[in-house]
Amino acid sequence: MTEMSTGISTAGVRATRHTTFSGVTLCMAATFLLSMAAQAGEVSIHTDFDGGSLGQVERVSETHFRCKVKGEVDQDGRNRQASWYYFRVDGAKGQSLTLDMIDLPGEYNYRPVAGAITARTLPFYSEDQKTWKQVEATEFLTDVPLLRLRLTPHAQRIWIAHTPPYTIRDLTRLLSEFNNHSALRQQTIGRSVGGRDLVLLTITDERVSQSKKKVIWLMFRQHAWESGSSWTGEGALRFLLSSDPIAKQIRRETIFKIFPMSDPDGVARGGVRFNAHGYDLNRNWDAVDDEKMPEIAAQRKAVLEWVDAGNHVDIFLSLHNTETSEYVEGPPDAGERYRSLMTRFSQLLSDSKRFAPTKSAQFTAVSTTVDKPGRMNVYQGLYRDRKLPAFLIEQMIVKHPELGRQPTTEDRRQFGVDLVRAMWRAVKIG
Ligand SMILES: [Zn+2]
C-alpha cells in the first residue's frame, strides 16, 4: 500500500517530499485538480499507487514536463540517492510527450556522485503494469544533468519506471499462487517501522529428513529501488516449487531460506535505499537497533537463532542491482574454505548467459569512508557474528554485454533459475 499520494496535475501542483500535514493538503488539492484535468482530456501525471514515486513536476507545455526525481537521504541527511521513479501518465494516447528527468546528482558513501540515472539507464514503460518495454527515444544532457524521454503512447494511460517495478502486491500474488504447496512455508519474523510483515520463506521437501540437507539462504530488497533482484527471486521461487526433476531433487537435498522483501516500507512508498527512519539496511549490521531498524534486527535474529539452534548455513547471498557493475563479493578476512566456495560459485554462475561479471569475485573490507559504526553490510555482519559464508551479488541494469539489451523481467526470472542451480551445485560439491 502506498502511504502517500502524490498525484500531480497539469496545473503544476507540487508534489511533497515528505509526509507532512501540508503535504496531505497538497495531495488533496492535486487529486481535485487532477480530476478537472482528466475531464478536460489533458495530460496528467500521478504516483498515488504501490511503489509510485516522483518529486516536483513542472509543466513546460501541454505535453512537455520537467520531472524531479525524488531521491532519498539517510538518517543524517547524507548520501542522497535518486535512483527510483515510477509514475503514471493519463491522457497520453497519441500525444507526443517529452519528459525531462532532473535533480539526479547525489552522494554515495559520503562522496558526491553525478547520479545513478544516466544516458545508459533507459527507463521502461507499460500499458498494463505487467508487460514492460524499453523507452527507446532518449537523450542525456550531461551538463544539467537531464534524461529526456520522448514517446507517443498508443494507450490513454501508461506507466513509466526506472526499471520494471516489483511491488509488495507482486510478491503477495506470487505467494498466493503457491499457498497450498507442501514444500513452501511462510513465517512472519517481525514488523517493519511502518508495521508491515517481515517474511521468511522456507522451501524444502519436508518428507526428507533435514539432517543431511544443505542450507542456502537468500535475501532480497535491502534496497527498495532494486526491483530487478525481486524478478530474479520470483524466477528462483517458481523454479524451486516447480515439477522440474532438478527442482524436485534440489528440494530433497536442500533447504532454501528466503527473505523476499527486506524493506517493505521502502518498496511500498517507492523508496530508494533507506528504511522509514533513514537507515541503509545493507549497512548498520554493526549498529543494529530494534527501534531504528527493526528490519535488520528481525532478520539478523532469525539467522542467528537458526545457527545457534545447531543448524548450519552453507551459503548466504544478498541480491542487489547497480547501474553498470556485475560481481560477487564476500567478507574481507574470509578463510580458505569460503574463498574456495566463492570461487566455485562464481565459476558456476559464469556458465549463465545472464551473468557477465565486470570484475572478478572479491573480498572487501568494511567501508572506512566514515570513522563510525554503521557502515558494515550484511555479509560482513554475518561473517563477523557467526563466520557464515555470506556473500553479495550485484547485477547491472544497463545494457548487458551478454544479452545485448537492458535486462527484461524475463531475463531476470531466467537468471533466478541459473542462480538456484549454481548455488545448489556449489554447496553440493563443497
Ligand atoms: Zn543494493
Side-chain angles (χ1 to χ4, degrees), residues 19 30-31 60 82 109 119 133 147 172 180 197-198 233-234 273 276 303 307 323 337 348 355-357 361 380 420 427:
T19 310
T31 306
V60 180
N109 282 337
K133 294 178 188 158
L147 177 66
T172 305
N180 298 318
D197 285 351
L198 297 167
E234 170 157 336
R273 68 175 292 131
V303 177
V307 175
E323 285 68 42
R337 189 167 151 235
L348 286 163
F355 183 67
Q380 292 161 339
V420 163
V427 296

Side-chain angles (χ1 to χ4, degrees), residues 124-289:
F124 286 75
Y125 76 96
S126 174
E127 294 177 358
D128 58 7
Q129 284 181 298
K130 291 186 187 118
T131 307
W132 292 89
K133 294 178 188 158
Q134 193 99 68
V135 174
E136 301 289 354
T138 62
E139 62 186 280
F140 190 77
L141 308 180
T142 313
D143 295 348
V144 183
L146 173 158
L147 177 66
R148 174 163 292 166
L149 325 178
R150 291 184 199 276
L151 66 170
T152 307
H154 298 300
Q156 191 64 355
R157 173 173 274 199
I158 60 161
W159 287 261
I160 295 176
H162 183 47
T163 60
Y166 196 97
T167 62
I168 293 173
R169 194 171 301 170
D170 293 315
L171 178 64
T172 305
R173 208 172 281 147
L174 173 71
L175 295 178
S176 69
E177 270 186 53
F178 295 100
N179 248 344
N180 298 318
H181 199 297
S182 62
L184 174 67
R185 208 152 40 84
Q186 299 188 41
Q187 287 167 263
T188 300
I189 55 156
R191 305 227 182 275
S192 66
V193 173
R196 292 184 172 83
D197 285 351
L198 297 167
V199 174
L200 172 61
L201 307 174
T202 303
I203 297 177
T204 194
D205 187 337
E206 301 274 6
R207 296 166 301 184
V208 179
S209 152
Q210 192 176 310
S211 60
K212 286 187 181 152
K213 284 176 176 168
K214 300 287 186 183
V215 180
I216 296 176
W217 207 306
L218 297 174
M219 177 182 237
F220 298 88
R221 298 302 277 281
Q222 288 183 295
H223 297 141
W225 82 267
E226 296 164 13
S227 58
S229 63
S230 282
W231 289 107
T232 296
E234 170 157 336
L237 186 137
R238 283 188 185 282
F239 174 66
L240 278 171
L241 293 173
S242 73
S243 54
D244 184 295
I246 298 288
K248 285 183 177 172
Q249 188 184 348
I250 292 174
R251 294 202 296 269
R252 285 195 297 273
E253 296 179 0
T254 320
I255 299 170
F256 270 80
K257 308 286 271 183
I258 303 172
F259 293 131
M261 199 67 90
S262 300
D263 183 15
D265 296 347
V267 171
R269 73 168 182 272
V272 180
R273 68 175 292 131
F274 306 113
N275 81 347
H277 286 318
Y279 289 91
D280 187 330
L281 300 182
N282 198 34
R283 301 290 186 270
N284 297 297
W285 281 71
D286 55 344
V288 184
D289 181 301

Side-chain angles (χ1 to χ4, degrees), residues 45-58:
I45 295 178
H46 314 267
T47 57
D48 54 343
F49 52 86
D50 203 13
S53 173
L54 201 57
Q56 184 185 326
V57 176
E58 183 192 334

Side-chain angles (χ1 to χ4, degrees), residues 61-124:
S61 75
E62 292 296 316
T63 54
H64 182 182
F65 297 83
R66 284 168 65 84
C67 307
K68 283 190 175 175
V69 177
K70 197 172 199 175
E72 267 183 3
V73 293
D74 67 14
Q75 74 277 9
D76 300 323
R78 297 291 305 272
N79 293 308
R80 175 177 193 263
Q81 189 167 316
S83 55
W84 184 247
Y85 54 86
Y86 178 20
F87 57 91
R88 191 180 78 230
V89 185
D90 284 357
K93 190 175 182 179
Q95 306 277 5
S96 56
L97 301 175
T98 303
L99 304 167
D100 294 339
M101 309 308 298
I102 57 168
D103 206 7
L104 311 180
E107 281 187 326
Y108 185 71
N109 282 337
Y110 296 89
R111 294 190 184 115
V113 289
I117 292 164
T118 68
R120 298 174 66 196
T121 59
L122 307 186
F124 286 75

